[in-house]
């Protein structure tokens, strides 16, 4: 009997030890998660409003959209409003330094898109268009930029310099085709002289910001972007690339670099860089709440995967 008791005690201790080991492994798997590690996870450093309202909504389950009565979790991705269990007054509002247009591919699944996060959290500054119903941008190209990686894309810090080329007093007249012939060749201006002229123009117009008034994002899978990016209405726009940020998106597409961001990540990181590089102000979390829903869902999904043993 004593032997059996000792064996039982030993088994209980082993089971307890195994349980602690599994818990430890689960926590370790969170630290080793991809695409970004737990230690380097920028979402951990965000200055966010209380997410208690989302915790309560999660426990309550799906709720009705106040406009279309569809059953949704947290928000309605077709009406761009929170559901009944998520009071609007408990959702943070972010004021942006410029306007944002999001061009959504018609085949992009509404429920999988993070673009709606921007509309929910910055409703006065964000407009979502479903392609092909988009504005004509040509006449405003001296105050617009498109966030999209490409051979001619530039970094955020170079926006001011390059936008001057699209202004009426810059390199291209508004009715000219900028891709046809650079003014440098037309007027035979020395490269150094052209750069000095543009820098002087930028300096003289510093009070006007960079003339950048609106930034455009494409919301689609990377395989679907070609149809939109080749649209004639987007040709000739200055393109911006965010090269140094890594995605935390749980639906990251296989075979694509981890610098290819989800829409809400791209918006957030662009604004952070814009604030520091262009406005030249210290960043103190002014736009962090743009990731209010994203960060909550990220943690929710990662924890669920860990507990299910899928990490």
């Amino acid at each position: 009997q004593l032997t059996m008791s000792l064996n039982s005690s030993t088994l209980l201790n082993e089971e307890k030890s195994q349980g602690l080991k599994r818990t430890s492994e689960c926590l370790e798997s969170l630290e080793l998660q991809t695409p970004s590690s737990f230690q380097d996870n920028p979402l951990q450093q965000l200055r966010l409003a209380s997410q208690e309202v989302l915790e309560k909504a999660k426990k309550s389950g799906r709720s009705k959209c106040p406009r279309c009565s569809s059953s949704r979790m947290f928000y309605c991705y077709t009406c761009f409003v929170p559901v009944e269990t998520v009071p609007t007054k408990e959702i943070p509002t972010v004021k942006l330094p410029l306007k944002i247009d999001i061009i959504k591919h018609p085949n992009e699944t509404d429920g999988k898109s993070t673009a709606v996060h921007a509309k929910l959290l910055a409703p006065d500054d964000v407009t979502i268009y479903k392609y092909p119903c988009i504005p004509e941008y040509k006449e405003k190209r001296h105050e617009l930029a498109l966030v999209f990686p490409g051979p001619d894309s530039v970094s955020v810090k170079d926006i001011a310099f390059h936008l001057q080329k699209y202004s009426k007093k810059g390199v291209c007249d508004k009715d000219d085709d900028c891709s046809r012939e650079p003014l440098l060749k037309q007027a035979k201006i020395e490269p150094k002289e052209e750069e000095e002229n543009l820098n002087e123009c930028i300096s003289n117009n510093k009070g006007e910001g960079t003339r950048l008034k609106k930034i455009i994002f494409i919301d689609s899978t990377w395989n679907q972007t070609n149809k939109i990016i080749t649209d004639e209405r987007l040709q000739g726009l200055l393109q911006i690339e965010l090269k140094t940020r890594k995605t935390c998106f749980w639906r990251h597409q296989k075979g694509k670099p981890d610098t290819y961001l989800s829409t809400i990540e791209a918006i957030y990181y662009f604004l952070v860089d814009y604030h520091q590089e262009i406005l030249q102000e210290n960043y103190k979390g002014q736009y962090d709440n743009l990731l209010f829903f994203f960060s909550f869902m990220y943690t929710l999904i990662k924890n669920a995967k860990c507990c299910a043993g899928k990490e």
Side-chain angles (χ1 to χ4, degrees), residues 37-250:
S37 69
F38 186 83
Q39 297 94 328
D40 298 330
N41 177 10
L43 303 183
Q44 291 233 307
Q45 309 302 321
L46 297 175
R47 298 181 181 182
L48 297 172
S50 172
Q51 294 177 320
E52 185 179 355
V53 63
L54 300 182
E55 288 285 357
K56 290 180 179 178
K58 181 189 71 173
K59 293 176 182 177
S60 300
R62 299 171 73 88
S63 181
K64 284 186 178 181
C65 168
R67 293 186 182 176
C68 69
S69 297
S70 297
S71 177
R72 301 280 190 254
M73 179 65 81
F74 304 129
Y75 55 82
C76 180
Y77 42 75
T78 50
C79 299
F80 309 143
V81 294
V83 293
E84 292 177 348
T85 54
V86 182
T88 304
K89 64 181 181 180
E90 295 187 44
I91 299 299
T93 301
V94 185
K95 181 61 182 174
L96 307 184
L98 37 70
K99 299 297 182 182
I100 288 178
D101 279 2
I102 300 174
I103 301 174
K104 187 175 179 297
H105 193 283
N107 294 335
E108 176 71 1
T109 305
D110 290 339
K112 293 183 178 181
S113 171
T114 62
V116 63
H117 297 183
K119 183 62 179 175
L120 283 162
L121 298 162
D124 296 335
D125 297 316
V126 175
T127 304
I128 297 179
Y129 297 95
K130 182 168 284 190
Y131 187 83
C133 300
I134 65 174
E136 294 286 345
Y137 291 113
K138 184 178 179 181
E139 296 299 318
K140 299 287 186 180
R141 66 185 178 188
H142 60 284
E143 56 188 35
L144 298 172
L146 169 67
V147 174
F148 191 82
D152 300 319
S153 61
V154 303
S155 63
V156 174
K157 67 182 178 64
D158 294 326
I159 288 176
F161 176 80
H162 288 278
L163 272 185
Q164 292 300 323
K165 298 179 181 181
Y166 296 91
S167 70
K168 294 178 182 178
K169 295 180 181 179
V171 175
C172 291
D173 184 78
K174 66 177 183 177
D175 294 324
D176 289 342
D177 179 4
C178 285
S179 63
R180 183 186 62 208
E181 194 83 278
L183 185 65
L184 180 61
K185 185 174 181 179
Q186 293 174 7
K188 296 183 179 179
I189 300 175
E190 293 296 321
K192 185 176 180 181
E193 183 183 347
E194 183 200 31
E195 185 172 347
E196 288 175 353
N197 289 341
L198 286 174
N199 285 335
E200 182 181 355
C201 188
I202 291 168
S203 178
N204 292 337
N205 289 290
K206 195 171 183 180
E208 302 178 24
T210 61
R211 299 184 66 88
L212 181 66
K213 295 182 180 179
K214 182 178 288 186
I215 188 75
I216 304 165
F217 295 84
I218 295 175
D219 183 51
S220 73
T221 62
W222 289 102
N223 292 332
Q224 294 172 338
T225 55
N226 188 60
K227 183 176 181 180
I228 296 178
I229 198 64
T230 55
D231 189 289
E232 61 179 8
R233 290 168 290 184
L234 299 180
Q235 301 311 300
L237 296 182
L238 178 64
Q239 291 187 12
I240 311 298
E241 184 171 1
L242 307 173
K243 300 178 181 179
T244 62
R245 309 293 190 173
K246 293 184 179 181
T247 185
C248 289
F249 195 33
W250 48 92

